[in-house]
Amino acid sequence: MTKRVTREECNCFALRQASRFVTQLYERHLSPAGLTAAQFTILSRLSRAPGATAAELADDLVMDRTTVVRALKPLQRDALVVAAAAPHDARTFAFRLSAAGQRRFEKAHALWLEAQAEFEQFLKRDRAKALRSELFALTKAAAA
């Protein structure tokens, strides 16, 4: 008979549980801006580097391309993100923030800073930084 694995031994369970907790924390803070955590990450990425295609966003955010396209639809509907033909291929769309999108991102960024501060109350700044480093290393190693 095989030994049953407890949830305390399961990396997936621990990460998913923590992910749900963290997502709920950030979405509580971001809700006054009318954004989800996923939408905020897309706006943040486009604020730093406009002109990304859906495939580039998917790679950068470690998301499926179709998931990114679905996440972009309400942002486009609300005129926060605009699409235009990519310079390298007219069949591909490149996305950028509209002026309204930039304003919404700035409002959400202030709320995000509050979420960061609350998160760091639970984990402390140095441990939060170390955790981010480990998690980014994990996704980088998996992509290699």
Side-chain angles (χ1 to χ4, degrees):
M1 177 169 224
T2 53
K3 177 186 171 230
R4 292 198 180 259
V5 176
T6 65
R7 68 185 208 162
E8 289 78 17
E9 297 172 294
C10 180
N11 299 317
C12 183
F13 178 81
L15 283 167
R16 290 180 59 83
Q17 183 183 53
S19 176
R20 286 188 292 273
F21 168 77
V22 171
T23 298
Q24 290 168 3
L25 183 153
Y26 278 77
E27 289 193 346
R28 181 169 34 84
H29 282 274
L30 291 169
S31 66
L35 295 174
T36 66
Q39 290 170 329
F40 176 79
T41 60
I42 290 171
L43 295 185
S44 178
R45 167 58 168 80
L46 293 175
S47 178
R48 282 183 282 110
T53 65
E56 291 166 341
L57 287 169
D59 287 344
D60 191 42
L61 302 175
V62 191
M63 295 172 71
D64 185 71
R65 187 187 160 287
T66 57
T67 303
V68 169
V69 170
R70 276 195 306 265
L72 283 164
K73 288 194 184 305
L75 297 172
Q76 290 177 282
R77 179 199 65 222
D78 295 344
L80 302 176
V81 171
V82 294
H88 66 281
D89 183 354
R91 298 169 296 169
T92 302
F93 289 108
F95 299 94
R96 65 174 177 75
L97 296 183
S98 65
Q102 185 62 42
R103 287 191 301 274
R104 179 82 62 95
F105 171 70
E106 289 168 9
K107 175 181 180 179
H109 185 263
L111 299 168
W112 174 85
L113 289 171
E114 294 173 8
Q116 286 281 101
E118 183 176 338
F119 179 85
E120 289 178 356
Q121 288 177 355
F122 292 107
L123 207 55
K124 305 301 179 225
R125 180 168 288 170
D126 290 345
R127 288 180 63 206
K129 184 178 179 180
L131 175 62
R132 282 191 309 274
S133 179
E134 289 297 321
L135 293 172
F136 285 134
L138 173 65
T139 54
K140 185 176 180 181

